[in-house]
Amino acid sequence: MRYIDAIYVISSDGASIHLDKKFADEFAGSIDTKRLRGASAKAKANALQATPELLQISCNPRYIQNYEAKHAHDAKLGWYRYDSRFSLPVYENDQIIRYNVFKITMLIRHAEDGRKYLYDMVNIKKETEYTA
């Protein structure tokens, strides 16, 4: 994955978000990814290509304390959730006829080293459609 070892800044609050191999592993094998079907699964796969932009435009940070023992080291300082959005074109006869807009939550782990790492992109939901 080309984004591994990159750092991106969230415009709304200036938080620096690191990407590491754990993101790639979790993105592909998470419970959230496995339960997705149809358009949402395709949208999440497409969202991966826009990871830097999705992080940069993320907003509405929410802190969540870590309660799971399995993340005691990875997310020792807790979790943050940010909202982001993206759209995908819908084609008919090689023409864009509309855009599907999706909302997605960027799940950030706050590690023991004090850095924040993108952990997964979850809760993807189609928000609306806009005609081209």
Side-chain angles (χ1 to χ4, degrees), residues 63-124:
Y63 174 78
I64 300 160
Q65 192 173 357
N66 180 43
Y67 293 108
E68 293 189 38
K70 70 179 184 176
H71 295 298
H73 179 69
D74 286 358
K76 187 171 189 166
L77 301 176
W79 299 90
Y80 288 88
R81 290 176 179 259
Y82 286 82
D83 297 329
S84 197
R85 287 183 174 79
F86 65 97
S87 64
L88 295 174
V90 177
Y91 292 90
E92 186 175 286
N93 299 325
D94 294 330
Q95 295 286 330
I96 297 174
I97 59 169
R98 70 177 181 272
Y99 292 89
N100 289 335
V101 178
F102 294 88
K103 183 176 180 181
I104 194 165
T105 301
M106 311 300 279
L107 183 59
I108 310 293
R109 62 184 174 86
H110 199 170
E112 185 175 26
D113 64 6
R115 294 180 178 172
K116 294 177 182 173
Y117 295 88
L118 180 60
Y119 187 71
D120 199 1
M121 293 188 275
V122 298
N123 301 334
I124 187 164

